[in-house]
Amino acid sequence: MADLLTIAIDGPAASGKGTLARRIAAHYGLHHLDTGLTYRGVARALLASGQPLDDVAVAEAAARALDLAGLDRGVLSAHGIGEAASKVAVMPTVRAILVDKQRTFAATPPGAVLDGRDIGTVVCPKADVKLYVIATPEVRATRRWREIEANGGDADYAGILADIKRRDERDTARAASPLRPAEDAHLLDTSEMDIETAFRAAKAIIDERLASRANAE
Ligand SMILES: Nc1ncnc2c1ncn2[C@@H]1O[C@H](COP(=O)(O)OP(=O)(O)O)[C@@H](O)[C@H]1O
Ligand SMILES: Nc1ccn([C@@H]2O[C@H](COP(=O)(O)OP(=O)(O)O)[C@@H](O)[C@H]2O)c(=O)n1
């Protein structure tokens, strides 16, 4: 599988990892998977059918039934679904089912950019390049607030900031695949960067990593 290229992008909510992942995938001609949508897809299925978010057997069935090709970003990006997703994401068996699907996706030539919480540590530990994207909670809340307002929604900054902090806590404290940088991840703090600057910084890291790997071969 020497020809397969995998780029792992992890980070907390609204750090900009999805925006970066899409740009990077387009630039390098790779597939892209926002793995957050897979957890959101499971949560949405449970919410839509009125089922509890803490029943492991029910969540496992929803995870098994999930079709990666049918994930609708428009529906799944609703703010409330993120909170529900972080609840089903604590279940190790649900994670195992989704990680299997994510790895199958990553193995499709010519390779992929995957973004999430555990890509560099669990899903693709041998990824060619790993980025860990961060920004302060206040910057991230402002970005999410702007996003909701731009989409015509009614956003409450204090509520969004509280939600982001609660999700950070749940994602970093859980026993199964907690959010943390892989040892070989490159840290990218985008607090003071706009989207274009963050993309250039990420591209510089990736190009350098790919060049040093090519020189070593
Ligand atoms: N560097 C940045 N500067 C300003 N806004 C950004 C930046 N990166 C992303 N955004 C915006 O912040 C919001 C959240 O970004 P997104 O990529 O969805 O984050 P994540 O995937 O980490 O949740 C989006 O509206 C996006 O356009
Ligand atoms: N690889 C991943 C991706 C998401 N998740 C969970 O799914 C939730 C929603 O992820 P997301 O990436 O769509 O959330 P945002 O960062 O876009 O707000 C996160 O809070 C995590 O609990 C995960 O556990 N592992």
Side-chain angles (χ1 to χ4, degrees), residues 58-69:
V58 166
E60 282 173 7
R64 264 187 225 102
L66 194 79
D67 176 6
L68 261 51

Side-chain angles (χ1 to χ4, degrees), residues 11-22 34 40 73 115 117 133 139-140 142-144 146-148 167 190-199:
S15 54
K17 59 192 180 303
T19 303
L20 268 180
R22 280 191 292 280
D34 173 351
R40 285 171 181 263
R73 164 176 302 280
D115 71 274
R117 301 290 188 288
V133 184
V139 165
R140 291 187 279 131
T142 303
R143 288 177 184 169
R144 214 15 64 91
R146 285 208 183 108
E147 187 178 18
I148 294 170
R167 266 208 292 147
T190 69
S191 300
E192 312 259 313
M193 295 180 184
D194 62 14
I195 291 177
E196 186 59 31
T197 310
F199 170 69

Side-chain angles (χ1 to χ4, degrees), residues 46-60:
L46 302 182
L47 292 172
S49 55
Q51 291 175 295
L53 291 169
D54 59 356
D55 184 325
V56 175
V58 166
E60 282 173 7

Side-chain angles (χ1 to χ4, degrees), residues 10-15 17 34-40 76 79 81-87 89-90 95 102 115-119 123 144 167-168 170-171 174 176-177:
D10 290 302
S15 54
K17 59 192 180 303
D34 173 351
T35 62
L37 292 183
T38 66
Y39 293 91
R40 285 171 181 263
L76 297 176
H79 190 59
I81 298 181
E83 171 84 8
S86 73
K87 291 183 180 163
V90 303
R95 300 197 69 85
Q102 294 161 9
D115 71 274
R117 301 290 188 288
D118 60 342
I119 310 303
V123 181
R144 214 15 64 91
R167 266 208 292 147
D168 283 358
R170 194 177 287 134
D171 289 347
R174 72 179 174 223
S177 310

